[in-house]
Amino acid sequence: MRLLVAADSGVAAAVTEAVRRRLPRVDIDEVRTAAAGLALLDDADADAGFDCVVSADDVGATDALEFLAAVRKRDAALPFLVVAGGDCEVTASDALDAGVTDYVRVRGPEGYDEVAARVERAVTASGRRPVDPSLVYERVFEQILEGACLYDRDGRFILVSDFLAGLYGATPAELEGERSRLVETIREERPGDPYQRLLDGETDSLEGETELVTPDGESRILSYRFAPLRMAGEVVGVIGVSRDVTERQEREQKLNRAREEYQELIDGMNDTVWVIDIDSHILAVNETAVELLGYSRDELLSMTVHDIDAGLSDDEASALVTQMPTDGTQVFTVHRAKDGREIPVEISSSLVTYRGETVVLSVARDITTRKRYEAELREQNRLLETQRDELGVLNQVVRHDVRNDLQLVTAYAELLAEYVDDGDAREYVEIVRRRANHAVELTKTARDMAEMMSTRGVETKPVPLRGVLDAELASVRDTAPDANVAVDGEVPPVTVLADDMLGSVFRNILMNAIQHTDEDEPTVDVSVTHAEREDRVVVRVADDGRGVPDERKDAIFAKDEKGLESRGTGLGLYLVQSLVEKYGGDVWVEDNDPSGSVFAVELRLVDGGQSDSDQSSPTRS
């Protein structure tokens, strides 16, 4: 074989050295320019012509593709290889389009061995030189990426591939004549000396997997296959082919562990988990699905979604699977158990990759309990609506009928007082009047309580504080003319967050102050100040009554909680606290000096407490 190498001295020397290592009998001519290479091609005769040209990407002032075009004019079938360096301007696609036989990019010294292999391949494929069959077999044996070898009858190496020698950390020459660890391991592990049975012709092959410890102490898993080598009808040795499957087994073990962990994970879920293909077949389920539906796992894996879905038609169920959006979907349906039970479920599904295929992963949650709660909630809501309607009727009776009758009693009591001269009798009439007025106040409280209870929630709105407070002060003065009710300074024109029942808050606190006193002419002082927080205002109502002990300051706001010797119902202050808390405010009681109590109501201001001078009071009369 004759080879022409056109390149600078460094590349030419590297190509020459690599080719001669591989093909010792090759003749190589080196040139530095394309012109010199063309001159050699022109001078070569037919018997001593070149079998291949190897060119760098640029040869002197000529690039490889221009050199190729000139070579092709002289010999269209001559193999032409381009060796490209790291900064090559000739790309592989350009070179192959131009018609080069092969293109090799070299990134290091070992790359030139690949150039030599490509040269041998190109010349062989061109048919320009006859190929020695033994050389081909030798090259194939050297290049095979498996542990190929030939053993003698005693299990010693006769011929060893480079790949297998590398596994042992040696060269083929170093292993020749050595006993095979693999053969010895197989003889130890398997009964009856299977290697000898191959030699005796009792079996035609021997294969399996085993663990082999290499000379450096590393444990590897080998897959092997042995077959007898017969010559003239006699077994003279054994051909062995082995493959290192350590990494494959490690991957399989990791995959199996991952699958086991995945199965443990989904089996541990309280919801049922389903893997379904596009044809609606069930591919995998978790243990919860097996327990809930009563089928065995094998039974479920032989079924489709149509066999268990009782809430969707077959077409609807198939459409959900085949038309699954990429972002998943949610559906409510019913699963039918093996015993006929129907279980309402909420299913969340999404597309996933399972064993290389796109499938639907569905998680179905048993919502039987939720459905029962929803039914109970609907029934409770129905009962609440009925109670709310009945409370409205009661509120109307208290607000109109009872209150009107009590006001009539009050009016007649006042008329009767004018005709009674006896002191004791007049006192009795006054008691009737006071109690009737008190009962009227109770109807107002009862009305407000009923209205608060019938409201689903409080929607606060801007309410002018001064108008509401002034209206309630006037009402109390009419109801209790003997009381001295005064305001410290002026009520500021601020707007607070409340609703139409804000007047009930002040009315109950004012009446509480009048009722809880031993004085014939009780004194009540009202003041309005800003709280420590700039967005709040505090209304204080001070009385000269018996006061509230410290241990009862919180308890008096509880429902049905009455003060000592109280004539009230215990609902007024509970109503006050309920309303104020819904407004986002606060209410508390303090000690008055020298005696009595101070009830403080803190309310939120609207936008810094804008003026309410142009707003009318929403308080009802």
Side-chain angles (χ1 to χ4, degrees):
M1 179 189 297
R2 188 178 183 190
L3 176 66
L4 174 61
V5 179
D8 61 39
S9 58
V11 173
V15 171
T16 298
E17 181 180 354
V19 170
R20 281 184 171 152
R21 279 200 305 270
R22 186 175 187 88
L23 303 169
R25 294 184 291 275
V26 67
D27 294 327
I28 302 176
D29 293 88
E30 295 183 11
V31 296
R32 303 291 175 260
T33 65
L38 293 174
L40 284 178
L41 290 172
D42 291 338
D43 293 342
D45 55 36
D47 294 332
F50 288 94
D51 299 294
C52 184
V53 176
V54 176
S55 171
D57 57 299
D58 57 75
V59 191
T62 306
D63 68 25
L65 301 187
E66 294 174 337
F67 186 26
L68 169 68
V71 170
R72 286 283 184 262
K73 290 180 180 179
R74 292 163 171 76
D75 188 342
L78 182 62
F80 191 101
L81 280 74
V82 174
V83 178
D87 55 353
C88 175
E89 296 183 358
V90 177
T91 65
S93 60
D94 290 340
L96 295 174
D97 288 343
V100 300
T101 306
D102 210 340
Y103 177 97
V104 184
R105 180 173 289 278
V106 177
R107 292 184 172 85
E110 65 278 1
Y112 290 102
D113 291 333
E114 180 63 20
V115 173
R118 300 283 185 93
V119 168
E120 181 182 19
R121 186 185 309 160
V123 172
T124 301
S126 69
R128 300 176 70 89
R129 285 288 186 269
V131 179
D132 183 354
S134 63
L135 181 63
V136 173
Y137 295 145
E138 182 180 345
R139 292 291 180 263
V140 171
F141 192 81
E142 289 175 353
Q143 296 300 315
I144 189 170
L145 296 180
E146 289 184 335
C149 64
L150 177 61
Y151 301 116
D152 64 14
R153 293 183 61 86
D154 293 328
R156 293 184 176 88
F157 290 112
I158 298 176
L159 189 63
V160 185
S161 70
D162 289 340
F163 187 86
L164 181 59
L167 182 64
Y168 282 92
T171 64
E174 290 172 337
L175 287 181
E176 290 177 5
E178 297 291 328
R179 288 189 177 276
S180 167
R181 294 193 180 198
L182 178 58
V183 172
E184 293 178 354
T185 300
I186 294 171
R187 280 177 155 171
E188 292 173 358
E189 290 180 345
R190 302 180 66 165
D193 196 348
Y195 188 81
Q196 187 62 45
R197 290 203 301 271
L198 276 177
L199 297 173
D200 295 341
E202 297 179 8
T203 58
D204 293 330
S205 65
L206 174 63
E207 55 187 86
E209 289 186 0
T210 188
E211 181 179 3
L212 180 70
V213 179
T214 61
D216 59 3
E218 186 178 6
S219 177
R220 311 297 295 177
I221 305 298
L222 296 184
S223 171
Y224 60 84
R225 189 179 189 281
F226 292 167
L229 174 63
R230 290 182 172 86
M231 298 183 66
E234 181 182 355
V235 176
V236 296
V238 173
I239 301 171
V241 178
S242 59
R243 178 177 300 166
D244 186 349
V245 295
T246 306
E247 294 182 357
R248 186 199 72 190
Q249 281 212 350
E250 289 176 350
R251 287 195 301 270
E252 290 177 351
Q253 290 173 356
K254 289 180 180 179
L255 181 59
N256 289 334
R257 284 197 298 270
R259 287 174 177 170
E260 290 172 358
E261 292 171 357
Y262 162 77
Q263 191 65 46
E264 290 176 0
L265 178 63
I266 66 171
D267 282 344
M269 294 178 62
N270 293 326
D271 300 329
T272 63
V273 179
W274 310 80
V275 178
I276 304 164
D277 67 13
I278 58 174
D279 295 322
S280 301
H281 294 101
I282 299 172
L283 303 180
V285 296
N286 68 342
E287 191 63 28
T288 304
V290 173
E291 295 175 356
L292 183 64
L293 297 186
Y295 293 100
S296 69
R297 190 182 299 271
D298 289 340
E299 285 177 322
L300 288 173
L301 297 183
S302 67
M303 299 164 69
T304 68
V305 295
H306 309 304
D307 298 321
I308 62 170
D309 198 312
L312 299 173
S313 67
D314 288 353
D315 291 341
E316 290 173 331
S318 297
L320 284 174
V321 174
T322 58
Q323 301 174 18
M324 177 68 60
T326 56
D327 57 351
T329 188
Q330 187 177 61
V331 66
F332 293 88
T333 185
V334 176
H335 281 175
R336 183 184 294 110
K338 188 173 184 178
D339 60 7
R341 289 179 298 114
E342 292 191 347
I343 305 167
V345 292
E346 174 189 40
I347 302 178
S348 297
S349 301
S350 57
L351 294 175
V352 299
T353 300
Y354 179 76
R355 296 181 178 176
E357 297 182 4
T358 299
V359 297
V360 176
L361 174 66
S362 294
V363 178
R365 174 162 297 177
D366 182 356
I367 57 174
T368 303
T369 303
R370 186 199 304 180
K371 287 289 187 181
R372 184 172 66 251
Y373 286 160
E374 289 175 353
E376 292 174 355
L377 182 60
R378 286 193 296 270
E379 178 62 18
Q380 290 175 0
N381 287 336
R382 187 190 65 79
L383 292 175
L384 286 175
E385 289 294 338
T386 301
Q387 293 173 355
R388 187 175 289 109
D389 293 340
E390 293 171 350
L391 191 59
V393 173
L394 178 60
N395 184 20
Q396 186 173 3
V397 171
V398 171
R399 182 173 181 177
H400 294 284
D401 300 347
V402 177
R403 181 181 176 187
N404 290 341
D405 287 347
L406 287 172
Q407 288 177 334
L408 187 61
V409 170
T410 302
Y412 276 107
E414 291 175 351
L415 290 175
L416 182 60
E418 297 177 3
Y419 296 97
V420 176
D421 295 328
D422 182 80
D424 291 339
R426 289 183 61 85
E427 183 179 352
Y428 297 151
V429 172
E430 180 62 22
I431 291 173
V432 171
R433 188 189 67 80
R434 286 202 308 269
R435 299 305 292 178
N437 284 333
H438 181 57
V440 170
E441 290 301 318
L442 291 180
T443 63
K444 294 179 181 178
T445 301
R447 175 201 66 192
D448 293 341
M449 284 291 297
E451 190 163 327
M452 183 187 70
M453 292 168 61
S454 65
T455 304
R456 292 184 180 272
V458 173
E459 293 185 4
T460 59
K461 63 181 180 179
V463 176
L465 176 63
R466 182 165 60 184
V468 175
L469 190 54
D470 286 348
E472 296 304 329
L473 288 169
S475 176
V476 168
R477 290 185 182 115
D478 290 340
T479 304
D482 295 335
N484 296 315
V485 181
V487 178
D488 184 8
E490 292 186 358
V491 178
V494 295
T495 305
V496 297
L497 285 172
D499 63 4
D500 291 345
M501 295 186 70
L502 178 59
S504 180
V505 172
F506 297 133
R507 180 170 62 254
N508 278 281
I509 290 180
L510 289 168
M511 292 305 300
N512 181 77
I514 292 172
Q515 292 169 2
H516 292 83
T517 181
D518 295 328
E519 303 295 333
D520 294 333
E521 295 183 357
T523 299
V524 178
D525 293 320
V526 179
S527 63
V528 181
T529 58
H530 281 282
E532 293 182 0
R533 295 173 57 179
E534 296 181 356
D535 61 341
R536 305 284 175 123
V537 66
V538 179
V539 179
R540 285 183 167 82
V541 178
D543 63 55
D544 57 355
R546 294 181 293 274
V548 180
D550 289 342
E551 63 271 15
R552 292 185 54 79
K553 281 186 169 62
D554 292 330
I556 60 173
F557 293 102
K559 189 168 71 171
D560 299 330
E561 187 69 26
K562 298 170 62 174
L564 298 176
E565 302 178 6
S566 172
R567 301 189 300 271
T569 64
L571 291 177
L573 294 181
Y574 169 72
L575 175 64
V576 167
Q577 185 182 51
S578 299
L579 289 173
V580 171
E581 287 183 349
K582 289 180 180 180
Y583 300 156
D586 194 9
V587 59
W588 66 91
V589 61
E590 304 168 349
D591 293 329
N592 197 9
D593 185 22
S595 63
S597 301
V598 179
F599 283 80
V601 177
E602 183 182 81
L603 299 170
R604 293 185 296 164
L605 292 171
V606 177
D607 297 332
Q610 62 184 13
S611 173
D612 66 355
S613 57
D614 296 330
Q615 302 181 52
S616 60
S617 171
T619 303
R620 302 178 305 277
S621 60

